C-alpha cells in the first residue's frame, strides 16, 4: 500500500522563481501535494528569529540552521502543522510567523514552534538555490 | 446458537435439508425457543435496533456504491449527482448519512445500558469485549465513510485523524504514508478508504454473529442482575421478545425518519458542502458528533503523543471494565452509590462532547482537562473503590420475585436527577455567557421562508424571479454548475414547461467539441446542458476578481451557516429550523454599507459587509434598487431581490426538497400507525406474563 510509481514520479523536484516575491511577502507552492511556504522575511523578522535564546525553545534549532547562508532573508518551510497536519496561516499569531487555526499552535518567523500542542518546528524541505532568485525544491 | 436442538421442521423438503445442515434448528433455538428473562425493559430493545441499523446501512450503502465514483476530482460531484439525478437518490443518501448517526445513538444507549446494569460482569466478559471491538470497527467505518463525499470536512478530518498515527515513535511517519498511499491525503487515500469502508461493515456483521453467539451462551443479563433460575423466570424469545423489539424498532424509526425527512443536515457540517481544497484549512475543524468526547480528550492534553494515547486509551479502557469493577452485585439498581456515579459519568461524557465542538481556547481548555480527569477517574478510581466500600441493597431471590415486587424503589433516582439538572443548568449558564461574549459578530436576522417547516414549499413566483436575478446579475461572476436547464422543468422547481426550459437553454451559447475536424465549436444550449460557468477555471476566476474566486452558487445555501450556540441547537431540533444558510445568504446580499463603522479596517479592493465573517468582502455590492425589472409587479427592491434569489438558490441546493417533505409526511403517518399496532400486539402477547 505504499505510494505507486506514478505518485513517486509526480513528486519530482520543482523550480520556483523568487524574483516576484517582495520583502515581507510570501508565496505558497505545492510540492508532493504539500503546501510549501516561501517567505521573504523583513529585517525585523530575521532579528526576532535570531534574538531568542535557542535553548529555551520546545524544539531547539537556530535560525541559521533553518535557512541557507547568504540567503538569510528566505525562509522555506513545509506549511503543515506538526501537530495534526492543518495548514497554518502566515503572518498571524504572536511571533510574527504562523498560526495554526486547528488547535492553536504558534510558530515564529523561523517556523519554529513556540506555543501550543505541536511538538516540532515546521520542517524545512530539501532545497537549494540554483541562482540568486531561483530555488529547486526536492 | 446454543447447542444442538431437537427442532424438526414438518415440511419434508426442509427436513431433508435439516438432516444435512441443521440450520433451521439453529434459527429456532436462537430466535424462537431461546429463553429470555421476563423482566427486560425497553433498554434491551437496542440490540435489535442495532441489528436493524446495520442492515439498513449495508443495504443503502451497497446501492449508493453503484452510483458513487471514488476519485478525488469526481467524488464530490458524484455524490451531488446521486442526490439530484438518481431515483430516490436523496432518500438513499439521507438514510445512509443520518443512519450512521442513528447507529451511534443506538450503540451509545446500548453501551450505557450495559454499564448501568453491569452486563460486562462474569460470565459476560467476552461478550462485552466483542462489543467494544464492534464499537471500534464502527468508529473506523464511520470515519472512512465521512471522507467519501470529499468535502472540506472530509478532507481535513482525514488529514487530522490520519496524522494521529504520526505520534507513534519510530514507525509513525511510515504508517501515515501507508495510510495515505502518497505524500499527503489525496486520490490514493480516497480509493483505499472507499475499499475499506465497503469491507468493514461485513467484518462488523461477522463480529456481531460472535457477539450474539456469546450472548446466547451466557444468556442475557437483566435489570435485576440475577440469573434466571427456573422456567418461571423466562419467556420465549418469539413471540415475546420479538414483538417487543419490533415496537422498539418502530419507535426508533420515528426518530430516524425525523432526521431523514425534516433535518437531514442537522447533524452534518455546512463546510462539507464545499469541495475539498488541500490549500485551505477551514477555520474550525470538528469531527462528526459521535467522536466529539474523544476529540475533546485529545485536545485537552498539550502533548501530542500523550494526547493520542489518552484518546485511544479512553476507548481501550472499556475492555478492562469487567476487572476494574469487581463488585458482585451486577445491576446498579441495587447499588446506591454506583448509580449516582453512573449518571455523573453520563453527564461528563455529554459535556466532553459539547467541549469537543468548541474552539480550543480559554475556559474550554480548562474544562476539557477537568472532565478528562473525571472520565478516567470513573474507571480507574471510582469503580474499583466502590466495589470495595459500597454496601449494595439486597437483590431479589429470583427474577419472578423481582417482577412480583415491582413497587417502591422509585425514590432514589431523585438524587441523580438533581445532579443531572444542576450540571445541565451550569452548562446552560456557561453558554449564555459565551453567547454574550460573541455578540460582537453580527448574527443574520431570521426570515420567513416559504420553504421552511414540515410542509414548506417553494414559492414558484420567487423561484422564477430569483432565476432572473441570477441570470442578469450573479451569473456574470458565479457559476451554477450542478444545475441543468432540464431541472427548470422538473416538479418541485420553478414550474416551467419542458418547452420553456428548452427555449431558455437555447439562449445560451456553449462551447463543444472537438468535432471531426478536431476543432472546438459553439452551439446553442440544450436542456441536458448545465449552466455554463463564467470562468474557465478557478485560477482565471481568481485572476479576474482580485485574488478571491467567486464561489459556485449551486450549493451555497447549504455550504454557508453560522453558529447557533447551545440552547438554540436544542430548540432547532424541535422547531425544524434549518434555514441558517438562506438567512446568511440573504443577509450578506443586503449587508453592504458604504459607511464603515469605527474599529473596522477594510483593505484595498474589499468592501464592508455587516454579516460577512471578518466584514471585508471582495464582492462589490451586487444589487441595487430597480436593477432587475420584474414582470409580475413585485417590488424591484434589494430586499425583494435578495429574498427571491435566495429562494432560488435554496432550490438549486436541494431540488427535491418538496418531495422529501411530502414523502416524510406519508412515512410518519405509516410509522405512527405501525408503532401503535406493535404496541397493542405486544400488550396482548405479554398480557399473561406480567
Ligand atoms: S493541527 Fe495545528 S494545532 Fe493541531
Amino acid at each position: 500500500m505504499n505510494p505507486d510509481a506514478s505518485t513517486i514520479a509526480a513528486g519530482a523536484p520543482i523550480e520556483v522563481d523568487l524574483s516576484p516575491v517582495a520583502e515581507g511577502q510570501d508565496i505558497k507552492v505545492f510540492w508532493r501535494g504539500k503546501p510549501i511556504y516561501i517567505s521573504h522575511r523583513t529585517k525585523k523578522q530575521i532579528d526576532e528569529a535570531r534574538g531568542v535564546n535557542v535553548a529555551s525553545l520546545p524544539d531547539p534549532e537556530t535560525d541559521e540552521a533553518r535557512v541557507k547562508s547568504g540567503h538569510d532573508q528566505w525562509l522555506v518551510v513545509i506549511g503543515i502543522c506538526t501537530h495534526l497536519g492543518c495548514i497554518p496561516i502566515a503572518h498571524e499569531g504572536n511571533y510574527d510567523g504562523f498560526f495554526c487555526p486547528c488547535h492553536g499552535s504558534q510558530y515564529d518567523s523561523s517556523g519554529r514552534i513556540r506555543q501550543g500542542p505541536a511538538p516540532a518546528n515546521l520542517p524545512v524541505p530539501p532545497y537549494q538555490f540554483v541562482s540568486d532568485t531561483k530555488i529547486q525544491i526536492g | 446458537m446454543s447447542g444442538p436442538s431437537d427442532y424438526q421442521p414438518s415440511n419434508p423438503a426442509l427436513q431433508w435439508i435439516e438432516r444435512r445442515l441443521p440450520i433451521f434448528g439453529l434459527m429456532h433455538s436462537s430466535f424462537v425457543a431461546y429463553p429470555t428473562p421476563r423482566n427486560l425493559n425497553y433498554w434491551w430493545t437496542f440490540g435489535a435496533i442495532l441489528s436493524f441499523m446495520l442492515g439498513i446501512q449495508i443495504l443503502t450503502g451497497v446501492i449508493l456504491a453503484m452510483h458513487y465514483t471514488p476519485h478525488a476530482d469526481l467524488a464530490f460531484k458524484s455524490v451531488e449527482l446521486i442526490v439530484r439525478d438518481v431515483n430516490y437518490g436523496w432518500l438513499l443518501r439521507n438514510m445512509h448519512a443520518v443512519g450512521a448517526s442513528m447507529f451511534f445513538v443506538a450503540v451509545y444507549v446500548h453501551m450505557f445500558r450495559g454499564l448501568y446494569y453491569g452486563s460486562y460482569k462474569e460470565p459476560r466478559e467476552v461478550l462485552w469485549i466483542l462489543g467494544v471491538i464492534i464499537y471500534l470497527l464502527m468508529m473506523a467505518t464511520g470515519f472512512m465513510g465521512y471522507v467519501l463525499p470529499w468535502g472540506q470536512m472530509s478532507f481535513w478530518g482525514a488529514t487530522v485523524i490520519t496524522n494521529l498515527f504520526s505520534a507513534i515513535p519510530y514507525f509513525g511517519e511510515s504508517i501515515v504514508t501507508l495510510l495515505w498511499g502518497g505524500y499527503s491525503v489525496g486520490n490514493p487515500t480516497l480509493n483505499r478508504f472507499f475499499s475499506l469502508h465497503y469491507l468493514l461493515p461485513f467484518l462488523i456483521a461477522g463480529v456481531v454473529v460472535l457477539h450474539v453467539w456469546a450472548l446466547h451462551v451466557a444468556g442475557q443479563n437483566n435489570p435485576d442482575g440475577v440469573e434466571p433460575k427456573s422456567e418461571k423466570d423466562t419467556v420465549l424469545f418469539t413471540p415475546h421478545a420479538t414483538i417487543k423489539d419490533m415496537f422498539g424498532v418502530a419507535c426508533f424509526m420515528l426518530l430516524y425518519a425525523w432526521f431523514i425527512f425534516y433535518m437531514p443536515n442537522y447533524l452534518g457540517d455546512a463546510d462539507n458542502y464545499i469541495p475539498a481544497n488541500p490549500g485551505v484549512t477551514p477555520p474550525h475543524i470538528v469531527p462528526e458528533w459521535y467522536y466529539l468526547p474523544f476529540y475533546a480528550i485529545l485536545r485537552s492534553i498539550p502533548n501530542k503523543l500523550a494526547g493520542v494515547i489518552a484518546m485511544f486509551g479512553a476507548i481501550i479502557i472499556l475492555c478492562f471494565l469487567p476487572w476494574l469493577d469487581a463488585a458482585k452485585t451486577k445491576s446498579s439498581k441495587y447499588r446506591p452509590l454506583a448509580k449516582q456515579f453512573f449518571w455523573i459519568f453520563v453527564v461528563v461524557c455529554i459535556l466532553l462532547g459539547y467541549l469537543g465542538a468548541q474552539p480550543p481556547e480559554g475556559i474550554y481548555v480548562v474544562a476539557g482537562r477537568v472532565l478528562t480527569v473525571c472520565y478516567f477517574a470513573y474507571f480507574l478510581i471510582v469503580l474499583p473503590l466502590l466495589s470495595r466500600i459500597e454496601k449494595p441493597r439486597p437483590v431479589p431471590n429470583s427474577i419472578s420475585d423481582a417482577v412480583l415486587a415491582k413497587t417502591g424503589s422509585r425514590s432514589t433516582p431523585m438524587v441523580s436527577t438533581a445532579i443531572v439538572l444542576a450540571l445541565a443548568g451550569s452548562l446552560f449558564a456557561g453558554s449564555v455567557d459565551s453567547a454574550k461574549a460573541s455578540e460582537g459578530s453580527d448574527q443574520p436576522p431570521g426570515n420567513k421562508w416559504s420553504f421552511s417547516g414540515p410542509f414548506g414549499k417553494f414559492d414558484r413566483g420567487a423561484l422564477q424571479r430569483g432565476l432572473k436575478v441570477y441570470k442578469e446579475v450573479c451569473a456574470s461572476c458565479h457559476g451554477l454548475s450542478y444545475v441543468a436547464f432540464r431541472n427548470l422543468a422538473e416538479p418541485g422547481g420553478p414550474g416551467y414547461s419542458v418547452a420553456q426550459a428548452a427555449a431558455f437553454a437555447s439562449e445560451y451559447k456553449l462551447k463543444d467539441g472537438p468535432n471531426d475536424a478536431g476543432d472546438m465549436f459553439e452551439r446553442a444550449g440544450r436542456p441536458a446542458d448545465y449552466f455554463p460557468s463564467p470562468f474557465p477555471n478557478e485560477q482565471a476566476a481568481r485572476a479576474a476578481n482580485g485574488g478571491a474566486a467567486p464561489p459556485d452558487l449551486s450549493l451555497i445555501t447549504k455550504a454557508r451557516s453560522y453558529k447557533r450556540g447551545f440552547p438554540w441547537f436544542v430548540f432547532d431540533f424541535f422547531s425544524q429550523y434549518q434555514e441558517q444558510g438562506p438567512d446568511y445568504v440573504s443577509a450578506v446580499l443586503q449587508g453592504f454599507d458604504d459607511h464603515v463603522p469605527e474599529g473596522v479596517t477594510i483593505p484595498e479592493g474589499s468592501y464592508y459587509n455587516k454579516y460577512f465573517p471578518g466584514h471585508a468582502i471582495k464582492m462589490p455590492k451586487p444589487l441595487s434598487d430597480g436593477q432587475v425589472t420584474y414582470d409580475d409587479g413585485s417590488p424591484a427592491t434589494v430586499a425583494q431581490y435578495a429574498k427571491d434569489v435566495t429562494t432560488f438558490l435554496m432550490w438549486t441546493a436541494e431540488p427535491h426538497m418538496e418531495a422529501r417533505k411530502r414523502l416524510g409526511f406519508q412515512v410518519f403517518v405509516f410509522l405512527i400507525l405501525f408503532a401503535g399496532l406493535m404496541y397493542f400486539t405486544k400488550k396482548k402477547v405479554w398480557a399473561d406474563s406480567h
Side-chain angles (χ1 to χ4, degrees), chain B residues 583-621:
Chain B
D583 281 344
Y584 169 81
V585 170
S586 110
V588 163
L589 287 174
Q590 302 175 63
F592 287 88
D593 200 341
D594 294 336
H595 166 78
V596 179
E598 234 163 284
V600 181
T601 44
I602 300 298
E604 186 84 31
S606 296
Y607 304 86
Y608 172 76
N609 189 306
K610 189 157 179 242
Y611 300 106
F612 191 73
H615 297 306
I617 191 169
K618 283 269 182 184
M619 170 171 77
K621 186 172 189 289

Side-chain angles (χ1 to χ4, degrees), chain B residues 17-34:
Chain B
I17 298 177
E18 181 72 12
R19 238 172 294 129
R20 285 149 185 87
L21 178 72
I23 189 159
F24 303 108
L26 181 70
M27 288 296 150
H28 185 267
S29 62
S30 310
F31 300 110
V32 180
Y34 177 71

Side-chain angles (χ1 to χ4, degrees), chain A residues 1-4 7-8 11 28 30 32-34 82-87 101-104 116-117 119, chain B residues 156 159-160 163-164 177-178 181-184 192 278-283 285 295 298-299 302 304 360:
Chain A
M1 298 213 303
N2 261 325
D4 63 15
T7 310
I8 293 171
K28 190 158 72 172
F30 275 88
R32 295 190 163 178
K34 295 176 177 165
T82 53
H83 182 225
L84 295 173
C86 294
I87 299 187
C102 287
H103 314 100
Chain B
W156 290 100
T159 303
V160 168
N163 265 307
L164 291 179
T177 311
L178 217 58
Y183 304 108
S184 56
R192 61 194 56 188
V280 184
T281 312
I285 295 192
Y295 195 58
L298 167 78
R299 292 196 313 189
K304 178 171 169 177

Side-chain angles (χ1 to χ4, degrees), chain B residues 80-202:
Chain B
E80 268 314 306
L81 294 184
I82 288 175
V83 172
R84 284 155 198 268
D85 290 343
V86 173
N87 294 322
Y88 289 101
W90 59 268
L91 178 60
L92 287 171
R93 201 247 165 139
N94 287 354
M95 280 174 78
H96 198 71
V98 175
S101 283
M102 291 294 110
F103 206 160
F104 275 95
V105 168
V107 92
Y108 283 134
V109 174
H110 193 65
M111 288 164 73
F112 277 123
R113 191 268 286 149
L115 207 57
Y116 184 83
Y117 292 113
S119 299
Y120 45 84
K121 293 189 183 183
E122 218 275 326
R124 299 189 181 82
E125 295 93 333
V126 171
L127 172 63
W128 172 263
I129 290 172
L130 285 170
V132 177
I133 293 174
I134 296 177
Y135 175 56
L136 276 173
L137 286 172
M138 274 175 66
M139 291 187 112
T141 315
F143 157 65
M144 289 194 245
Y146 193 58
V147 174
L148 301 184
W150 211 240
Q152 272 290 65
M153 275 301 160
S154 303
F155 183 90
W156 290 100
T159 303
V160 168
I161 303 291
T162 48
N163 265 307
L164 291 179
F165 294 92
S166 70
I168 301 169
Y170 306 116
F171 315 105
E173 295 298 329
S174 21
I175 294 179
V176 174
T177 311
L178 217 58
L179 287 173
W180 288 341
Y183 304 108
S184 56
V185 174
N187 192 46
T189 324
L190 177 60
N191 268 302
R192 61 194 56 188
F193 278 18
F194 179 55
S195 164
L196 292 175
H197 183 70
Y198 206 107
L199 168 71
L200 289 188
F202 297 99

Side-chain angles (χ1 to χ4, degrees), chain B residues 425-507:
Chain B
S426 60
L427 170 65
F428 186 82
S431 70
V432 170
D433 272 357
S434 65
K436 272 196 203 117
S438 66
E439 240 162 46
S441 64
D442 296 282
Q443 292 260 335
N447 294 283
K448 259 200 80 58
W449 298 106
S450 61
F451 48 80
S452 64
F455 302 104
K457 280 199 166 45
F458 291 115
D459 171 356
R460 308 272 165 245
L463 286 182
Q464 300 190 353
R465 293 192 297 271
L467 172 62
K468 190 158 196 249
V469 175
Y470 168 76
K471 192 182 169 196
E472 290 179 16
V473 185
C474 319
S476 55
C477 301
H478 293 277
L480 201 60
S481 50
Y482 296 126
V483 183
F485 298 119
R486 67 187 153 86
N487 295 137
L488 297 173
E490 275 165 13
Y496 288 114
S497 67
V498 175
Q500 278 172 316
F504 186 90
S506 64
E507 287 170 22

